């Protein structure tokens, strides 16, 4: 066993169990079509897959930690935490450019997720 040092923490006496990572409870983890979370193809296919992925996210018990993780890592592709690339960019940059028919949807989701985090 390597000795503890500057780059190797001394964990020989640490008996605190590590918490399970949030992604173990993610709804997408065992989804039968994981490619929907990273859609590719023609515009109509991408829109359909994105909508399907977001529907799965709406049922997910860990949607907030997923979104936070994606935002912290600067995830550029795919659907994470119920938001696609454009949704996350709008959320981060505050442009307020919601897609037609979804005015305020990104802001409402972000507010709901922030309230859920504050309550937890």
């Amino acid at each position: 066993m390597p000795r503890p040092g500057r780059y190797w923490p001394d964990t020989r006496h640490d008996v605190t169990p590590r918490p399970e990572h949030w992604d173990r409870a993610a709804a997408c983890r065992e989804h039968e079509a994981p490619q929907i979370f990273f859609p590719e193809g023609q515009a109509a296919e991408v829109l359909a897959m994105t909508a399907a992925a977001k529907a799965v996210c709406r049922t997910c018990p860990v949607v907030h930690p997923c979104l936070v993780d994606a935002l912290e890592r600067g995830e550029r592709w795919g659907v994470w935490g119920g938001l696609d690339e454009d949704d996350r960019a709008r959320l981060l940059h505050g442009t307020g450019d919601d897609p037609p028919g979804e005015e305020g949807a990104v802001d409402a989701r972000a507010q709901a997720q922030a309230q859920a985090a504050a309550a937890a």
Side-chain angles (χ1 to χ4, degrees), residues 28-82:
C28 60
R29 189 174 179 94
E30 299 297 326
H31 195 270
E32 68 270 1
Q35 67 273 14
I36 67 169
F37 297 95
F38 298 93
E40 294 180 332
Q42 300 297 324
E45 294 171 357
V46 169
L47 290 173
M49 286 192 277
T50 300
K54 288 179 177 184
V56 172
C57 291
R58 284 192 294 273
T59 68
C60 186
V62 292
V63 68
H64 181 260
C66 177
L67 177 59
V68 169
D69 190 47
L71 293 173
E72 286 177 348
R73 289 183 295 110
E75 189 62 55
R76 295 181 58 196
W77 312 112
V79 175
W80 293 85

Side-chain angles (χ1 to χ4, degrees), residues 91-114:
L91 183 65
L92 287 173
H93 303 297
T95 61
D97 297 332
D98 291 328
E102 291 188 24
E103 290 81 9
V106 172
D107 293 331
R109 281 193 298 260
Q111 287 177 345
Q113 291 166 348

Side-chain angles (χ1 to χ4, degrees), residues 9-34:
D10 185 2
T11 58
R12 293 176 292 179
H13 306 290
D14 187 9
V15 294
T16 307
R18 290 187 178 190
E20 202 170 278
H21 195 266
W22 62 263
D23 71 350
R24 303 246 180 196
C28 60
R29 189 174 179 94
E30 299 297 326
H31 195 270
E32 68 270 1

